Amino acid sequence: MNDTATDPIIKVRGLVKSFGTHIVHDGLDLDVRRGEIIGIVGGSGTGKSVLLQQIVGLLKPDAGQIEVFGENVRDSSPEEYRDLRRRWGVMFQDGALFSSLTVRQNVEAPMREQLDLPDDLRKTLAGIKVRMVGLTDVAQTKFPSELSGGMRKRAGFARAIALDPEIVFLDEPTAGLDPIGAAAFDTLIGQLQATLGLTVFLVTHDLDSLHAICDRIAVLAEKKVLAVGTMAEMLEVDHPWVQEYFHGPRARAALATKGER
């Protein structure tokens, strides 16, 4: 293992990605620190989810380097990539659960793929993960179509932590939730990050989430990471989109809500 406690757990350098003639990223650089919650924000089409998918190896960059745990994701062998995948978990938008499997079976799926465990032990571990995200034992036997949007997201989070990962990638986890449900999910992220020692890569547009749980924020604009820093540092960035995003009416409302907590 090449990574150390002081090295970035994720290191992106010179990333280039295009789809046809449309350039999404052009020379993007980003470091993610071990144990932090970093929020990835940007306008529509800036490639927030595309960045996540490149880091976890679902999309291939046109150029540049991505290192996770000190290992080059692009150049890893199938065996090395399999080992890397065991060390991170991903929650896609709306949970992206298998519709034909129950909640518990969805959480068991990564264990079946990656671990050689007895059936009883695998079921027990899956049940523990489901309870860790605040779902009841009854929910374990339900199918995704029988769950509310918030419950599907929690089930997706349970699957993301099924293998006890060091990093979790969360793609718009509070999108579509009412304010109470979104705040509860933010609290869950913060609690599990602290309890499990996770590094959290959070793609979001939710200003409340940025205020509530993020240690740092990375702003995607102009095909790269325009700025990265704390919320206080974001408020000082002199760029039109950043100023509008972090000083607009919704930002002021989010700041007021934070002050009430």
Side-chain angles (χ1 to χ4, degrees):
M1 186 162 49
N2 298 330
D3 54 302
T4 71
T6 57
D7 291 334
I9 197 167
I10 300 171
K11 184 176 180 179
V12 180
R13 292 291 183 271
L15 194 68
V16 177
K17 182 62 183 176
S18 61
F19 296 96
T21 59
H22 176 57
I23 300 173
V24 180
H25 299 140
D26 189 8
L28 184 150
D29 297 336
L30 178 65
D31 285 346
V32 177
R33 301 167 181 167
R34 186 180 296 273
E36 74 173 340
I37 301 178
I38 186 167
I40 311 299
V41 303
S44 177
T46 54
K48 302 180 293 294
S49 296
V50 171
L51 174 59
L52 183 159
Q53 291 175 45
Q54 289 175 96
I55 293 173
V56 301
L58 295 179
L59 283 177
K60 184 177 180 180
D62 299 327
Q65 182 173 330
I66 299 171
E67 291 183 2
V68 184
F69 307 117
E71 301 289 343
N72 192 315
V73 176
R74 290 186 67 190
D75 296 336
S76 60
S77 67
E79 294 76 16
E80 291 169 336
Y81 180 59
R82 180 184 176 91
D83 290 341
L84 283 173
R85 285 178 54 211
R86 288 184 60 171
R87 300 176 67 186
W88 69 55
V90 185
M91 175 189 158
F92 296 103
Q93 293 184 29
D94 200 37
L97 301 171
F98 299 115
S99 60
S100 61
L101 301 181
T102 65
V103 168
R104 192 194 67 222
Q105 289 169 338
N106 266 280
V107 178
E108 285 184 69
M111 301 180 189
R112 287 183 180 276
E113 180 184 3
Q114 298 275 5
L115 305 175
D116 183 17
L117 297 174
D119 289 350
D120 289 346
L121 178 57
R122 188 179 61 250
K123 291 177 182 178
T124 297
L125 291 174
I128 292 172
K129 303 300 182 183
V130 171
R131 289 189 288 274
M132 286 176 68
V133 299
L135 293 176
T136 65
D137 288 342
V138 173
Q140 292 188 43
T141 61
K142 293 186 178 296
F143 292 93
S145 61
E146 300 175 296
L147 303 176
S148 67
M151 292 174 72
R152 284 195 299 272
K153 289 176 182 289
R154 286 176 182 263
F157 200 177
R159 188 174 64 184
I161 62 172
L163 299 178
D164 297 321
E166 297 168 60
I167 307 173
V168 289
F169 295 88
L170 307 178
D171 193 357
E172 298 282 9
T174 60
L177 297 181
D178 62 77
I180 294 175
F185 205 92
D186 285 340
T187 299
L188 175 65
I189 294 171
Q191 289 174 340
L192 289 182
Q193 185 273 336
T195 301
L196 303 176
L198 298 169
T199 300
V200 180
F201 186 100
L202 173 65
V203 173
T204 186
H205 69 279
D206 194 329
L207 281 156
D208 289 327
S209 298
L210 298 176
H211 278 286
I213 59 173
C214 288
D215 300 300
R216 292 193 306 150
I217 301 160
V219 177
L220 268 59
E222 301 174 7
K223 301 180 176 61
K224 57 190 65 181
V225 174
L226 180 75
V228 60
T230 64
M231 177 61 75
E233 290 168 332
M234 290 299 104
L235 296 174
E236 301 300 322
V237 174
D238 185 16
H239 184 275
W241 188 89
V242 179
Q243 286 286 313
E244 176 63 24
Y245 188 79
F246 288 102
H247 291 274
R250 295 186 68 181
R252 292 193 292 271
L255 183 59
T257 300
K258 180 187 178 185
E260 294 170 0
R261 292 175 179 172

